[in-house]
Amino acid sequence: MNIHKVVIPVAGWGTRSLPATKNIPKEMLPVYNKPGVQYVVEEAIQAGIEDVVFITNRDKSAIEDHFDYNLQLEMVLERSGKEEALAAIRQVAEMVRIISIRQKRQLGLGHAVLCAKDVVRYDDAFAVMVGDDLMFGMSPGIRQLIEVAQSERLPVIGVMEVPQDRVSRYGIISGEEISPGIYQVRKLVEKPRVDQAPSRLAIIGRYVLTPEIFVHLEKISPGHGGEIQLTDALQGQASARGLLAVKIRGMRFDAGDWAEYLTANIYFALQDEELREDLVRRLKPLLG
Ligand code: G1P
């Protein structure tokens, strides 16, 4: 099972992050010194992925521009001898190949994935990563899924246990644990009510799918919130050929949640040796 491409849907409105995202794509909000989407792309690269397929809209060109050269800025940095900054921005331009697809109407995550059909349908499998979900750990989250997909030859989704009072924010799964941390998925429900969730295992934004998913996506009707839900198509996949879920090891931040977004910023800033001491000194009095 070769996996070369990742589909990253970025056409959402970012309403949870307004007013910050009125004119800036939510994926471009910085997490410490990089836009959030760069962490997602870097995670994909660390897992051996070469092509990024952005499912985008008319207001999101800043994302594609970020992964392209900016010759004017390069010239300015070159002339002023700012070698380090120059290398950093060139490296971003060269990290990955970009394919952009317009999602002309925002009809849901399932619809966004369906927009990628013509680009990935001849691949053995492809990854899907949600731009809001930032993951860090010893092994890149998406790689943990790819390893299982390749050994079991089945599509795999990433899950994490969440507190009971948060289940209604996620797609929730249930199934049998076939080996430690790996589940044969039986049931999936998109954003269930707290008292109706089949478990506390929440889908987080990492998936390894096969082109078979398009058959299911084309069959389903709008689900939760009137949107074409990827979770509903995955139910078709689970009932037909099978679907696995892997408990991802590592930390996850939902960049659309202010508390998690700000924690992610502090977490990354603290990793920077030059900043750490000063930051801790300034934060301490704020914490009272
Ligand atoms: C989407 C999926 C949901 C999943 C979540 C993870 O929801 O539909 O199943 O749990 O991503 O971030 P969204 O957050 O786009 O509403």
Side-chain angles (χ1 to χ4, degrees):
M1 202 185 247
N2 290 313
I3 299 163
H4 299 295
K5 299 191 186 101
V6 59
V7 175
I8 306 184
V10 293
W13 284 104
T15 45
R16 286 192 294 165
S17 308
L18 283 169
T21 47
K22 187 180 168 201
N23 283 301
I24 296 171
K26 61 176 171 167
E27 296 79 8
M28 291 302 292
L29 292 182
V31 175
Y32 176 39
N33 61 357
K34 295 188 245 184
V37 68
Q38 188 175 330
Y39 293 91
V40 178
V41 168
E42 285 172 351
E43 180 188 327
I45 293 169
Q46 282 164 20
I49 286 171
E50 293 150 0
D51 297 316
V52 171
V53 183
F54 283 124
I55 310 298
T56 183
N57 73 26
R58 56 185 301 133
D59 297 323
K60 301 279 183 148
S61 54
I63 300 173
E64 291 133 285
D65 293 347
H66 182 69
F67 294 98
D68 198 350
Y69 292 104
N70 179 337
L71 297 179
Q72 212 172 354
L73 178 59
E74 283 186 26
M75 214 168 66
V76 171
L77 294 173
E78 205 157 17
R79 279 203 198 130
S80 49
K82 298 196 165 131
E83 301 292 334
E84 216 175 297
L86 178 63
I89 66 154
R90 272 200 188 139
Q91 193 244 337
V92 184
E94 287 165 0
M95 62 173 53
V96 83
R97 272 196 301 259
I98 300 292
I99 299 162
S100 293
I101 297 177
R102 285 284 183 112
Q103 185 182 16
K104 296 185 189 172
R105 292 195 293 158
Q106 277 72 67
L107 301 179
L109 181 59
H111 177 257
V113 173
L114 192 51
C115 290
K117 180 179 169 186
D118 287 343
V119 174
V120 296
R121 69 174 156 174
Y122 297 119
D123 291 26
D124 298 344
F126 58 95
V128 174
M129 295 169 74
V130 170
D132 279 351
D133 279 315
L134 307 181
M135 303 222 43
F136 310 96
M138 285 172 296
S139 160
I142 195 69
R143 193 200 287 161
Q144 297 177 36
L145 302 194
I146 291 175
E147 281 164 7
V148 176
Q150 286 176 332
S151 70
E152 303 301 321
R153 310 202 61 77
L154 274 178
V156 181
I157 60 176
V159 292
M160 271 188 175
E161 234 160 64
V162 296
Q164 187 73 29
D165 62 343
R166 296 215 154 193
V167 288
S168 53
R169 299 179 179 204
Y170 298 93
I172 302 291
I173 67 138
S174 64
E176 288 91 61
E177 190 164 11
I178 53 172
S179 54
I182 303 182
Y183 300 81
Q184 179 81 46
V185 180
R186 295 286 170 220
K187 205 168 162 216
L188 304 95
V189 195
E190 180 66 13
K191 306 198 172 84
R193 277 181 24 194
V194 171
D195 56 340
Q196 287 173 355
S199 78
R200 289 195 291 115
L201 287 175
I203 305 172
I204 41 146
R206 300 290 181 272
Y207 310 76
V208 174
L209 304 175
T210 57
E212 226 181 311
I213 195 68
F214 299 119
V215 176
H216 302 292
L217 281 169
E218 278 164 353
K219 256 196 245 164
I220 56 171
S221 320
H224 183 88
E227 296 187 337
I228 304 287
Q229 296 291 353
L230 181 57
T231 305
D232 296 342
L234 289 167
Q235 180 65 68
Q237 174 77 44
S239 310
R241 206 168 70 92
L243 175 71
L244 299 177
V246 169
K247 235 190 214 175
I248 298 193
R249 287 161 293 152
M251 263 188 289
R252 167 192 179 258
F253 300 105
D254 172 5
D257 175 288
W258 283 121
E260 293 194 33
Y261 170 79
L262 294 168
T263 311
N265 270 280
I266 294 168
Y267 170 79
F268 280 105
L270 288 173
Q271 313 302 309
D272 184 335
E273 288 300 320
E274 276 180 40
L275 205 67
R276 191 184 169 91
E277 208 179 304
D278 193 20
L279 184 62
V280 170
R281 189 173 49 81
R282 287 165 193 271
L283 283 175
K284 264 193 186 148
L286 296 181
L287 296 171

